[in-house]
Amino acid sequence: MRNSKLFIATAALAAAIASPASAHRQWMLPSTTILSGTHGGVTVDAAASNDLFYPDHRPMGLDNVTVWAPDGSEHEIGNPATGRYRSTFDVAIDQPGTWKIGTDQSMVFGSFKLDGETWRVGGFRRRPPMAGQGGPGGNAGPGGPAGRPRFDPSHVVASAAEIPAGATDVKLSERVSRNFIFVTADAPTATVFKTGKGLELEPVTHPASLVSNEDARFRFLVDGKPAAGVEVTVIPGGKQFREAEDAQKLTTGADGMLTVTWPVAGMYWLHATLTDNHPSEPRASERRMSYTTTLEVLAP
Amino acid sequence: MKSKVLPSVPLLAAGVIATPAAAATVSVTIPRINVAEYHKPYVAGWLEPVGGGAARTVFVWYDVKKGGREPGTKWLADLRSWWRKGGRSLQLPADGVSGATRAPGTYRIPLPDNLPAGQYVLKVEAARETGGRELVSVPITVPGKGGSASGKTELGAVTVR
């Protein structure tokens, strides 16, 4: 049990990362994903909660939400508001085609030793520490929510760049969390799906063409290449109106392909995870990627 | 009677071969629905080749005149099957295809006269503001075989002959 302290530290780190641990799912719920014409838009709820899409835990922060239009241009969200349980915002959809809305965040977290003492890297739940406060020891703010002082706050650095030269036992992981929703005005397009970086969903069945009596196929890519072995969870919303969660646990094939059968029409939460050893931070040992989306499946 | 009808059969057959579907017509019945707030439904009809391939819209009736911030086209996606099968890539208004919504009654619409021979499913979908939505399918063969089916709520008989 000599390592128990480190164990606790690691667990707490994992819990403190922006992307919620397995329990609380981060989700965005658009009012619709299919629009006729470009004179309107959508309104979106965003929260983290156990059950989908039932906001009873905490709102999603909107600071990092970006809107990508079909032509690649980036747009702002409108009317952002954060309540106790959920955030809401609007997106004006003024171009035909498929839009991408959401967050794409990456961070490096872990630990190192300096002069025999353990330091922590990353793990700030909400905002990164103020810049310009110097290296180790300068960011003495609370690393997590009040009442959970698991770390010596004076032994935290915000990013891998702040690890001092004399550090030893550097153990780092990179986490790349994506949460996107797709909204299509008129005919669907596929310009916003692939960037060639990290874990991505490439539509074989377009998200604007999902029907409950037809299987959907999506190809998952990592760095632009088919991603085998991606673990995918698919959960229909509205658990409070049925007995079981009805989650499907699926895995992509060698060609990155995922086939999803929809038990009912409705809004679905899809969450894919993949860990590999190609982090962009060279000292990190692994890259943990997640890709979350909300899909609207129509009745036939 | 007999002498009159028989000679005309070869003529009809020849006509059918020359212009395969010239005579094919679909009749669509919009039922009268007694509700306090009635709006004439959006209705679309389209042909799906059974062997696969692009659907072809035959007609779509929507609120053509409503403009402004919420033009009548806004609710075309409520015809959700038609929207997915081709409505979303159709430029509206479309000559010979789109038109205004219609009151309860039976309407006859000619099918396109240049359809390649083969099997099709004619689909008719209706969606009504504050009301329901219904889809009726009629398998047909071009040239030659019509068919009929009926909706239960938003559509009455749909007949191809």
Side-chain angles (χ1 to χ4, degrees), chain A residues 36 39 187-188 208-209 211 299-300, chain B residues 71 73-74 80 83-84 88 133:
Chain A
S36 171
H39 28 67
S209 301
V211 197
Chain B
T73 49
K74 174 178 175 177
R80 59 181 184 243
W83 187 249
R84 183 170 64 94
R88 64 192 180 185
R133 171 266 182 198

Side-chain angles (χ1 to χ4, degrees), chain B residues 1 8 10 18 27 31 36 44 52 54-59 61 79 93 109 113-114 121 146 152 158:
Chain B
M1 281 296 274
S8 69
S27 73
R56 177 166 173 172
T57 299
V58 178
F59 64 93
W61 302 332
L79 296 166
I109 308 101
D113 57 11
N114 57 354
V121 178
K152 291 185 177 69
V158 176

Side-chain angles (χ1 to χ4, degrees), chain A residues 149-231:
Chain A
R150 287 193 171 121
F151 296 94
D152 179 351
S154 68
H155 280 48
V156 174
V157 298
S159 70
E162 294 172 43
I163 298 174
T168 59
D169 299 300
V170 177
K171 290 172 183 159
L172 296 177
S173 287
E174 186 176 33
R175 182 188 290 268
V176 185
S177 306
R178 289 175 166 162
N179 188 356
F180 297 136
I181 52 173
F182 303 97
V183 175
T184 300
D186 296 339
T189 56
T191 52
V192 294
F193 293 93
K194 273 178 73 172
T195 65
K197 289 181 187 159
L199 183 62
E200 302 188 281
L201 178 152
E202 181 183 45
V204 179
T205 310
H206 196 283
S209 301
L210 305 176
V211 197
S212 59
N213 65 344
E214 293 178 14
D215 287 355
R217 298 175 82 213
F218 307 116
R219 190 194 303 277
F220 280 87
L221 306 172
V222 62
D223 297 336
K225 299 192 183 76
V230 179
E231 294 181 357

Side-chain angles (χ1 to χ4, degrees), chain B residues 4 11 17 28 47 123:
Chain B
K4 267 189 178 175
L11 284 175
I17 290 160
V28 175
L47 286 159
K123 296 196 171 178

